[in-house]
Amino acid sequence: MSGDLRDVAVRLLDARLAGWGFPRWGSALAAGLDLHACLDAPVTLAPQAPPLLVPAGIAVAIRDPGWCALVVPRSGLGHREGLVLGNTVGVIDADYEGPLMLSAWNRNPPGGAAIAIAPGERIAQLVFTRVARPHLHVVESFADGQEGGPASGRGEGGFGSTGRR
């Protein structure tokens, strides 16, 4: 285990997925597997309304602790229309085998455009990635030359502390 992820079992929980072309990647070199909105009727998301959980119609069994899957938005929908995920990125752990749900959210400002989602529309994608689980050890401080090497020089600076260029 934890080598190359060659096989992941996928259960189709919604028979319509076969007609919608699932499973497929958008192109030969795409990283993300397209996920469809398995809705019974179209829905409209008002700007800034609470996210809506949309069934993806599948369950996956990764079962390798060296791997997980990430549910991420489709970039064009987010950039052009404002459709993003309410939780930004969903993590599907190797031991989770339940239904995948997509937290659809309209990030447009109040008074902005509503977003319609049709049954079968591809609204997110599933990306499989490796997981690193290092041994963690508690220390009192990050002193120079201790606990992993020299100090970074950056210290606790964050939120743009290194500048824009």
Side-chain angles (χ1 to χ4, degrees):
M1 297 210 111
S2 297
D4 288 338
L5 186 66
R6 302 225 182 255
D7 292 302
V8 172
V10 178
R11 281 189 331 145
L12 295 184
L13 304 176
D14 190 316
R16 297 175 296 175
L17 285 168
W20 292 333
F22 181 86
R24 74 168 174 248
W25 279 261
S27 71
L29 299 178
L33 174 68
D34 291 333
L35 296 176
H36 298 261
C38 291
L39 297 166
D40 293 328
V43 297
T44 301
L45 300 175
Q48 300 293 312
L52 174 70
L53 282 177
V54 176
I58 65 168
V60 297
I62 299 170
R63 296 187 179 153
D64 184 331
W67 289 84
C68 74
L70 304 175
V71 178
V72 297
R74 294 190 66 221
S75 58
L77 290 175
H79 178 70
R80 287 190 301 275
E81 298 182 36
L83 180 61
V84 296
L85 298 179
N87 57 340
T88 64
V89 173
V91 176
I92 309 302
D93 295 311
D95 59 351
Y96 178 71
E97 297 180 9
L100 269 58
M101 301 295 286
L102 312 172
S103 178
W105 184 59
N106 181 347
R107 69 168 173 80
N108 290 321
I115 298 172
I117 301 174
E121 187 173 354
R122 295 173 297 136
I123 64 168
Q125 49 191 329
L126 190 66
V127 176
F128 294 92
T129 189
R130 291 185 185 271
V131 173
R133 295 195 64 177
H135 172 74
L136 303 177
H137 56 278
V138 178
V139 299
E140 292 295 321
S141 67
F142 300 125
D144 287 350
Q146 294 180 351
E147 310 301 337
S152 69
R154 182 174 179 176
E156 294 181 13
F159 297 99
S161 66
T162 61
R164 290 185 71 152
R165 294 182 191 222

